[in-house]
Amino acid sequence: MAEADVIGALVEALKVDSIVAALTADRVFGGELPKDETKHMPRHAIVVAPSGGVSTAAGSYVEHDTQRVDLLAFGPTPNEANALLRSARRAMTSIRRQIFSGCLIHWAEPAGGFSARRDGATQWPVAFQPYQVFHALQEVS
């Protein structure tokens, strides 16, 4: 049995949300923005990036774990980046025992408040928030 890809699953979860999909035109990525996307920025896009964190399953034999992720929402203006982050938050926190891309996600909850800034290298507006995600380690069908 293959290991589940929680980042890919969260990307899919955001892409299938009708509001997020309408705002991003399917520009939801795992890890970082693809190079061919950057020439069109700043515009609406989301990146789901792993960010470490403490496992709530440490020391157990359960086939589940938690993963902390950063949700980065880009927009043409700071207000639009913030609005996209709010829409993505609604989509993330509505996940309850759902399978996306073969990964069972039990829940995704904010692991802290949101913040907004301009990207240091590009000056694109970006809003971000950390999440803790509880998920199965093995792929399911």
Side-chain angles (χ1 to χ4, degrees), residues 19-101:
I19 295 171
V20 172
L23 290 171
T24 63
D26 216 28
R27 291 184 301 274
V28 181
F29 309 102
E32 64 183 5
L33 285 171
K35 284 193 184 276
D36 62 338
E37 183 64 29
T38 60
K39 64 185 169 200
H40 303 290
M41 296 297 284
R43 64 181 181 176
H44 290 112
I46 291 176
V47 172
V48 180
S51 62
V54 177
S55 171
T56 61
S60 75
Y61 296 103
V62 67
E63 291 290 319
H64 287 64
D65 206 352
T66 52
Q67 172 64 52
R68 185 172 164 168
V69 299
D70 288 335
L71 189 67
L72 298 109
F74 295 89
T77 68
N79 283 340
E80 290 182 66
N82 288 335
L84 178 56
L85 184 68
R86 287 191 302 272
S87 293
R89 176 192 170 107
R90 181 201 40 75
M92 290 280 287
T93 59
S94 70
I95 298 172
R96 292 289 181 267
R97 288 194 48 82
Q98 292 174 271
I99 298 171
F100 299 98
S101 298

